[in-house]
Amino acid sequence: MRNKKKKIGLCIIFIVIIIGIYCIITPIFKEKSVEGLSEEYKTFGKDKFETIFVGSSVMLNAVYPLELYKQYGMASFNLGCGAQRMSSSYYIVKQAIREQHPKLIVLDVYLAGIGKDYPQEPAGFTHYVTDALHYPEKLEMINDVLPVNRRLDYIYEMGAYHERWENITKDDFEKIPSGRKGTYGAKVHYYSSPFESFGDVTSEKKELPKETEKYLRKIIELCQENHTEILLTLMPLDYSAQVTDINRSEWQGYWNKVQDIANEYGIRYLNFMYHYDELDLDKEKDTDGGTHLNGWGADKLTSYLGNYIKQNYKLKDVRSDPKYDFMKKDVVKFEKYKKELELASLSDFSEYLDALVKLKNEYADEYDVCFSVRDIQGYFLDDNIIKKMKKIGFINSEILLEKEYHSFIGITGGTENIEKYGGDEAISCDFYTKNKKKIAISSQTLNSGNNSIVQIGGENYSKNMRGFNIVVFDAKSEKVIDSVNFDTHVPEFTLSLIHI
């Protein structure tokens, strides 16, 4: 009997060890897509957020919860993800109601036209949801929306990801993708591409596919059963474009039909087909080409939507509630993160210098900005550029206007400003950050070595191209935020290489 109990005990220990190993290894092997449902959500626990945003990538990119906190005191989270269908949204909402007991669900209906005749959803898109969904909703969704022969890979996730072992990188050891940390679920980017117009808008209506309408009604009824208000939205985009299998001109009929369903249930529907002009969006700058809002566009949308919610729903302003003090700190980090992303998106030299001035003024002690000229400082610098250089801290930079070779080293940061100028010669300088991190910089003209070095921790982060090589280093996190080169010897000040 004693031996039998011992064997049973050993078996239990073995099983626990196996489960423990599985739980540790699986998150490493999972695909860390920035398009997936936020893994950050589970770190906050229950009953933290009064408003939950749900929908496909148009929602994911459009609404910044921390901006809503900053402007309106809203406690919210964005549970949007790439290609999120209405059936997925239903289980996300169901989970959110169980865990957060929100007062408001905001659901975007961009994919309202998808029915059973639409191409089968790629496995990766379904994993966007199921990999981050909690039990029991995870199992319920898998059994509901997936055919029997596909279910096991979504329950036993290593079955889907075990072949990734050859492609594992250090980023896979991070539970949350770096592009989504501290964003409260939103995806922030500043990729910009112009589009011509929002397209011709029709008032015609078209019946929704049965499956989509079924889950839309289930979501609305679930909210109403739990005394949670729901707001439907359609985000601003080019409403006439053909994108993959979606003909948006035809899909306008689906989006208009949603209004009938909203009216039937007595809920609001904010359809930006009829309100986009109120956002004052810049078609040249504020989107990625007419589908997703970037950082500039999302700021406008978030501010507008926050005001709309404030006017139409009774939500608590949590800014004075000590329970939400963590959001005050997170807002500061988020604002800093946005400025870093915006900086790394700029391709115009003058605008880049403006952004560096803002960083210096707002975060003077946190960044070290390093300049190193290779070959020649360029004959197309002008008084406007020099004024901005002086604002950054290089008060003697007018010497660079001389039409002759000059080497140049400039460092501005938390400990001191350094500016060092040479003629047609090589110059160098060692600099120590406030955390005693050594930065070794060298500037060599065409005839003195033709090289640029900004060495941090033994690695040269300079793009090492002709003109101005600039490296931005976050002394606090000890990470290089950006590295870029502008060829200032041509009038266009060409961005020679992509940002780091």
Side-chain angles (χ1 to χ4, degrees), residues 313-324:
Y313 301 93
K314 294 181 180 180
L315 298 176
K316 181 180 177 182
D317 186 336
V318 303
R319 286 174 291 190
S320 60
D321 187 342
K323 177 183 174 183
Y324 291 92

Side-chain angles (χ1 to χ4, degrees), residues 464-483:
N464 197 17
M465 302 284 287
R466 183 176 71 177
F468 276 63
N469 297 279
I470 306 172
V471 176
V472 183
F473 181 70
D474 186 333
K476 189 174 182 179
S477 66
E478 296 194 346
K479 292 182 180 179
V480 172
I481 299 304
D482 197 25
S483 175

Side-chain angles (χ1 to χ4, degrees), residues 366-407:
E366 297 188 34
Y367 295 99
D368 295 301
V369 183
C370 309
F371 285 68
S372 169
V373 162
R374 172 185 162 177
D375 186 341
I376 189 169
Q377 83 281 9
Y379 288 173
F380 290 94
L381 299 176
D382 56 29
D383 289 335
N384 180 53
I385 294 296
I386 296 304
K387 285 179 182 178
K388 295 179 181 184
M389 293 285 288
K390 290 184 176 182
K391 288 182 179 179
I392 292 172
F394 308 130
I395 60 175
N396 298 310
S397 53
E398 67 270 3
I399 192 175
L400 299 176
L401 292 173
E402 296 178 359
K403 298 297 190 287
E404 56 186 66
Y405 281 90
H406 279 291
S407 50

Side-chain angles (χ1 to χ4, degrees), residues 324-372:
Y324 291 92
D325 281 350
F326 66 93
M327 295 188 76
K328 293 180 182 179
K329 298 177 182 178
D330 290 342
V331 164
V332 174
K333 294 176 184 177
F334 181 66
E335 292 294 325
K336 180 182 174 185
Y337 175 59
K338 284 172 60 184
K339 285 183 170 59
E340 292 174 356
L341 290 180
E342 182 177 5
L343 176 74
S345 74
L346 298 174
S347 59
D348 180 88
F349 186 42
S350 181
E351 290 180 359
Y352 195 86
L353 294 178
D354 286 336
L356 290 179
V357 171
K358 290 180 181 178
L359 278 185
K360 177 181 174 62
N361 291 340
E362 296 182 32
Y363 306 98
D365 297 332
E366 297 188 34
Y367 295 99
D368 295 301
V369 183
C370 309
F371 285 68
S372 169

